[in-house]
Amino acid sequence: MHFINEFELRLDAQGEASIRIALPPPADGNFGHALVLIERLEAQDGAPFEAINEGINSPDLADVLSDVAVFAGPINEGVETLRIGLFGRAGERFRVFVGWARRHYDEATADLSCTVCRKSLKAAFRAALAAIGIPTPGEVISAAADQLIAALATEGIAAFLYELFGERLVGRLQRAVDAVLGMTRVIDEVCRKLCREIGLCD
């Protein structure tokens, strides 16, 4: 099972906005794993915003950045609704990726469309970059490759990808990144390659 969606939120006159997502009941004690990536769409001269999550066992993995927040990890036991709250200046706009996945023991991978597959991988890459202090994908240089792979292996991010894609993704990740490291639009190309190799894309 999975839930993958992307929202654009604008803070209200009090500088607040929130999302609430009802989660399915657990299966065999597994509440699933989630990845939430929050990106401010308009720079505010370094003015901070606050992001909170109720439901994911994770601190903000991108707390060194002023325009990005990342939460990735298992859903806390007993949680029925995932809540994401944003606080900042009135009118600020944010893009929020919310991914939740839980595989049954006999599922090789989630049943995903090409669009959802690519959106999930791109969000995971952007989250991993944010976790090592890179606010936007830009051009990933060779010196950052090992850090990027390590960040993708961050427990919460890796667990979300495993729930969504299964074990086939892990072994191909390093080769996919190495193959396109020098190209423009690195994130798009890596995601296309991964989708093809794990059989989720034409």
Side-chain angles (χ1 to χ4, degrees):
M1 298 180 69
H2 65 276
F3 171 88
I4 307 292
N5 212 336
E6 206 165 64
F7 307 88
E8 186 172 313
L9 297 182
R10 183 182 294 274
L11 302 191
D12 63 18
Q14 286 72 46
E16 301 178 5
S18 66
I19 300 172
R20 293 179 183 271
I21 298 169
L23 299 175
D28 299 323
N30 181 4
F31 286 81
H33 284 74
L35 170 65
V36 173
L37 170 66
I38 302 165
E39 299 168 294
R40 181 156 48 187
L41 297 178
E42 298 156 341
Q44 295 291 322
D45 300 323
F49 76 93
E50 181 183 2
I52 62 168
N53 100 79
E54 295 176 2
I56 305 172
N57 185 12
S58 169
D60 180 2
L61 302 178
D63 60 355
V64 299
L65 300 176
S66 62
D67 293 320
V68 183
V70 175
F71 302 101
I75 296 295
N76 291 320
E77 186 173 344
V79 169
E80 297 178 353
T81 303
L82 174 62
R83 178 178 177 266
I84 306 299
L86 296 175
F87 306 89
R89 293 181 179 174
E92 284 187 299
R93 294 187 308 116
F94 294 84
R95 178 173 54 232
V96 182
F97 170 89
V98 180
W100 170 88
R102 184 185 68 214
R103 287 191 306 125
H104 294 296
Y105 69 92
D106 58 346
E107 288 180 319
T109 186
D111 181 20
L112 302 172
S113 69
C114 185
T115 300
V116 170
C117 172
R118 193 171 303 150
K119 183 181 291 186
S120 300
L121 284 170
K122 288 171 72 173
F125 270 94
R126 295 199 313 267
L129 286 167
I132 59 174
I134 300 175
T136 56
E139 293 186 7
V140 181
I141 58 175
S142 296
D146 289 341
Q147 286 183 292
L148 177 58
I149 296 300
L152 278 170
T154 298
E155 184 175 355
I157 297 173
F160 168 74
L161 291 175
Y162 175 79
E163 291 288 343
L164 200 58
F165 297 112
E167 297 177 356
R168 289 181 294 168
L169 178 74
V170 178
R172 304 184 186 275
L173 188 56
Q174 178 71 59
R175 292 198 303 276
V177 172
D178 289 344
V180 298
L181 202 54
M183 299 179 181
T184 59
R185 302 184 68 194
V186 169
I187 302 303
D188 279 340
E189 293 301 324
V190 169
C191 292
R192 289 175 196 273
K193 183 174 176 64
L194 283 172
C195 285
R196 285 195 301 267
E197 289 199 1
I198 62 178
L200 294 176
C201 191
D202 294 335

